[in-house]
Amino acid sequence: MDKVRIALIGNPNVGKSTVFNALTGSNQQTGNWAGKTVERRSGLAHKEGLVIELVDLPGTYSFTAYSQEEVITRDYILRDKPDAVLAIVDAANIERNLYLVLQLLEMTSKVVIGLNMLDLARSTGVDIKAHELSRILRVPVVEIVAAKGQGLDKLLQAAVKVGHSDALKSLSIPYPPELEEKIQRMEEVLKNTGLAKRYPLRWLAIKRLEQDPEIGQEWEVRAVVPVQAHADACCSTGNAVSYDLKSTEDLPGDVLLSELAQAGWGQEEMEMAFADAKYQYINQILPVFKSQVHSGLNLTEKLDQWVLSPIWGYPILTGIVFLAFWVSFILSAPLGDLVSQGMSGLAELVVGVMQGLSIPEVWQSLVRDGMFAGVGAVLAFVPQIAIFFVLYYFLQDSGYLARAAFLGDRFMQMLGLHGKSFFSLISSYGCNVPGIMATRTLEDPKDRLVTILINPLIPCVPRLGVMSAVTAAFFPGGQGALVLVSLLTISILLVMFSALFLRRAVGQTERSAFVMELPLYHLPTWRNILQLAWVRTYSFLKRAWTFILAASVIVWVLSSFPQGVPMNESWAGTMGSWLEGIGRPLGFDWRIMVAIVFGFTAKETTLSTLGILYGVAANASQSIARAMTTAMTGLGAYTFLVVYMLYIPCLATVVTTYKESGSLRWTAFGVAYNLLLSFAVGWLVVQGGHLLGLH
Amino acid sequence: MMLTEFLTLLSNPDTLSLTELARQAGYTPDEVAAGLEQLARMGYIERQEIGQACGVCSGGRHCDTCSVAGTAEPFPSWHLTEKGNQYLSKRKRAER
Ligand SMILES: Nc1nc2c(ncn2[C@@H]2O[C@H](COP(=O)(O)OP(=O)(O)OP(=O)(O)O)[C@@H](O)[C@H]2O)c(=O)[nH]1
């Protein structure tokens, strides 16, 4: 029976396996390529009395000799010479895919192109004219939708036909004259060599000019000349005989290559020039066979003209952040009170049961004034935090957050901060710990140190959540949104100021830019958003029951012992009185100072501590928000928020700073810098407020 | 010289969006994306994800909060590598 051997090639993920499986069914064999760890798959198909052997070659992007997969694919096509090669091309990504096809056409003309994923391409408004592509590349192009099995019969037929025909005159990619001239010179040198009989001459010449390592190896006749390191090597221990590999003769083309290298055409230049020329050619032929109905992209481009504009971008960003906070305040205000009331109701219930069981008063107090007050204070803010996360993910899913990051980097450019520093700072909005870890990508140790030290000034999402909760308590609705926007602005200004100051301190130098891929705008999917917001809110809740509960018990012990004294004489009160001096210029009483100190372990602890110290649970009608508003003025609350935002984020950040900087001195500097800066800015806020007649 | 042009644009100190780079260089965003991927395969540039530091996270509770993007897509971006920088400076020297 007649047999045809067809090889399947394509970029990864173009649907090659789908085609292979559909054509061969269960008639498949798998193994490994000789001497390689790459899987080899082949299978049989029968058509009109023909046996067709299909070989699924590994997915690759090119036919250079960089990876095992590339070498296997290339060697199979060149050495095993299949009757036809079936190149599967992703129509939705045709610019990328044609690069491989062009390289293939330099190796063989017995090619059929399977234009796959046409359904996807059409859904994005892309139309590919298969007959035009076929005319330009001089090989058959068959339209297929492999996932649905459409066009596969025709594809196989075309491949069999090509397999049975003689080699056609292949497409010769028109390279620019300066490359053509070099190809011809190399062809002249190589045409009488043995390899020229095995491989297409033009391809061989190009590979030689690119100094392809595999081609070089095939030629190399090397003699292994043993060289003894010392004359008396036999007697000295540990001196192995070393071998010096010596080329006995120049390889064909070496002379031309060194001549070209002297003229500035080294290996890299050559490789780049050929890749460049192929992409130029693709771009040149693209308009002939590809047309795109502008859909999403057009809207995105139009919006981006405003959103990314250096003039309008920042006011729009501020407006959107303002709106997001405002919406979150409006929505969450009634819910927070509800949780507070629920928690005090529950506390009363539990304490009632404890009383019924005659459990001593001190234990009742622990449950009511410690656990319920502490955990309840944190839980009261959960609705606020959950809504904050929902809005945050809404902005992200819509594609806006990436733009905000982009605008942020533009801003950083003015400071001369390295692009990669920005990566780390942006990560810090998620959490400072990985933000600091992300500085590992910075090569310059000075860049790295500056970025590590600036990182804690970025309010992480949990910190922002707590800040927005405290803000909601003091400044309802639009006022609150304004407060938060102003706080974020202060943090960004301080990041700027610190970058300039620290850059001087450690002498950072240059920056380089990057190109960002911005997603298309689209309507966010609620399911996605709610799921992400739930994950975050849940991790916040989980901490309330574990970490915060433990911290609440500790704070309760500190504030209740020695027993029988007023709270301000308890251990916590005594500690507070030492700290009061520092807080007084900022209008902070001892409770706030203690809460700030406890917040050092984790930011939410500040809330639970305030809940306990203000005795929230002692009075059922008292919510943490109300307790705080009676204890602090508006200016006091704003000052508290500023200090809260800027002082050392948490213990984990300090530990990470030490681990990453490897210096106790710089870690101490960072901690001192954060503390001083937060209190100094807080003091300025108070003074500024007084000047404006606020209190 | 399309690829070299992309490399040169990447060496400027301004951050660009892919669409801006396409506009400046006179190509479609798809062509630019294909070209950038090619340059990355050749080792001149690399793709990195902003706001995503999970790769360096040692695990533990900070990993679930470790990117701005949370568990969703981070923001991909392209940078010059050392090889890319060296190539460009060699070119500049040759042009002088
Ligand atoms: N929409 C659409 N999806 C397709 C089509 N053909 C294949 N796919 C899907 O594309 C994905 C990748 O297909 P594969 O066949 O695994 O791709 P591959 O080229 O073998 O990938 P590698 O194994 O990485 O080389 C799968 O999820 C397929 O279901 C198509 O014509 N249209």
Side-chain angles (χ1 to χ4, degrees), chain A residues 214-235:
Chain A
E214 287 271 313
I215 297 295
Q217 262 175 29
E218 283 199 50
W219 259 312
E220 256 161 314
V221 185
R222 289 182 184 277
V224 180
V225 184
V227 177
Q228 281 186 332
H230 299 285
D232 58 348
C234 61
C235 311

Side-chain angles (χ1 to χ4, degrees), chain A residues 61 96 99 269 276 280 283 286 392 396 409-410 413 423 426 431 513-517 532 543, chain B residues 1-4 12 14-16 18 20 31 37-38 47-48 61 68 71-72 76-79 90:
Chain A
Y61 291 102
R96 296 165 176 77
Y99 183 68
E269 287 74 18
D276 220 323
Q280 291 279 23
N283 294 335
L286 210 58
Y392 176 85
Q396 178 187 305
D409 180 71
R410 280 239 162 113
Q413 281 175 24
F423 272 33
I426 281 284
C431 169
F514 53 90
V515 168
M516 240 178 108
E517 278 178 33
L532 287 168
R543 274 161 67 80
Chain B
M1 295 289 274
M2 164 180 152
L3 297 181
T4 321
N12 289 339
D14 300 331
T15 296
L16 293 172
L18 205 130
E20 279 176 326
E31 286 165 351
E37 278 165 27
Q38 178 63 32
R47 187 182 150 115
Q48 246 191 1
R61 72 183 173 84
V68 195
T71 47
S77 71
W78 300 93
H79 299 257
K90 213 161 68 176

Side-chain angles (χ1 to χ4, degrees), chain A residues 379-679:
Chain A
L379 288 187
F381 291 124
V382 165
Q384 168 69 36
I385 284 163
I387 293 172
F388 168 78
F389 285 145
V390 168
L391 290 165
Y392 176 85
Y393 287 117
F394 178 89
L395 288 179
Q396 178 187 305
D397 210 30
S398 65
Y400 184 74
L401 217 55
R403 267 98 187 155
F406 181 79
L407 286 171
D409 180 71
R410 280 239 162 113
F411 204 62
M412 295 283 167
Q413 281 175 24
M414 295 181 220
L415 319 181
L417 258 185
H418 195 283
K420 284 185 184 169
S421 298
F422 174 70
F423 272 33
S424 133
L425 294 179
I426 281 284
S427 300
S428 267
Y429 277 104
C431 169
N432 289 174
V433 169
I436 292 171
M437 285 177 167
T439 58
R440 289 181 195 172
T441 54
L442 291 162
E443 290 97 24
D444 184 349
K446 285 174 181 166
D447 282 350
R448 201 166 163 216
L449 192 57
V450 169
T451 317
I452 289 178
L453 293 175
I454 293 175
N455 249 291
L457 295 177
I458 303 271
C460 56
V461 170
R463 215 184 324 169
L464 265 178
V466 176
M467 278 164 62
S468 80
V470 175
T471 308
F474 280 92
F475 311 97
Q479 212 188 5
L482 212 60
V483 163
L484 271 177
V485 169
S486 73
L487 287 170
L488 283 176
T489 312
I490 289 179
S491 120
I492 292 166
L493 288 176
L494 285 174
V495 166
M496 274 173 64
F497 164 79
S498 303
L500 290 175
F501 166 68
L502 293 171
R503 229 155 57 93
R504 289 268 155 76
V506 297
Q508 192 198 31
T509 47
E510 60 187 288
R511 77 161 253 140
S512 73
F514 53 90
V515 168
M516 240 178 108
E517 278 178 33
L518 298 174
L520 297 181
Y521 289 105
H522 59 85
L523 275 181
T525 41
W526 282 107
R527 208 169 146 244
N528 207 5
I529 293 174
L530 292 177
Q531 203 178 354
L532 287 168
W534 166 244
V535 169
R536 281 286 175 104
T537 311
Y538 179 70
S539 77
F540 190 88
L541 275 172
K542 214 168 63 185
R543 274 161 67 80
W545 294 122
T546 52
F547 186 79
I548 303 295
L549 188 65
S552 299
V553 171
I554 294 172
V555 174
W556 175 82
V557 168
L558 290 176
S559 63
S560 312
F561 290 85
Q563 259 188 315
V565 297
M567 200 191 271
N568 60 355
E569 286 171 25
S570 65
W571 291 330
T574 315
M575 197 176 124
S577 66
W578 300 334
L579 299 166
E580 217 172 0
I582 306 170
R584 201 170 297 125
L586 280 78
F588 295 167
D589 71 0
W590 68 270
R591 294 179 180 88
I592 296 180
M593 289 309 290
V594 171
I596 286 179
V597 169
F598 276 106
F600 186 60
T601 50
K603 285 278 165 160
E604 307 92 297
T605 325
T606 305
L607 287 180
S608 60
T609 308
L610 283 174
I612 295 165
L613 298 184
Y614 280 120
V616 173
N619 179 350
S621 68
Q622 180 85 304
S623 75
I624 171 77
R626 225 159 283 143
M628 282 164 73
T629 41
T630 44
M632 263 193 267
T633 61
L635 181 62
Y638 191 82
T639 314
F640 170 74
L641 282 167
V642 169
V643 174
Y644 181 81
M645 174 175 72
L646 297 175
Y647 87 105
I648 315 137
C650 62
L651 201 58
T653 312
V654 178
V655 173
T656 315
T657 304
Y658 173 65
K659 275 196 201 147
E660 296 296 314
S661 67
S663 152
L664 209 55
R665 205 163 56 93
W666 279 113
T667 311
F669 175 81
V671 169
Y673 182 73
N674 270 175
L675 279 175
L676 281 177
L677 194 69
S678 61
F679 277 84

Side-chain angles (χ1 to χ4, degrees), chain A residues 26 37 43 48 52 75 81 93 99-100 107 113 125 156 217 235 250 271 284 337 346 371 437 447 543 546 612 633 679:
Chain A
S26 57
T37 50
E48 294 155 11
I52 302 158
D75 282 357
K81 293 193 183 356
N93 280 302
Y99 183 68
L100 185 77
M107 300 196 287
I113 293 175
L156 197 59
Q217 262 175 29
C235 311
D250 279 339
E271 196 185 30
Q284 188 190 325
D337 278 353
L346 197 64
M371 294 170 165
M437 285 177 167
D447 282 350
R543 274 161 67 80
T546 52
I612 295 165
T633 61
F679 277 84

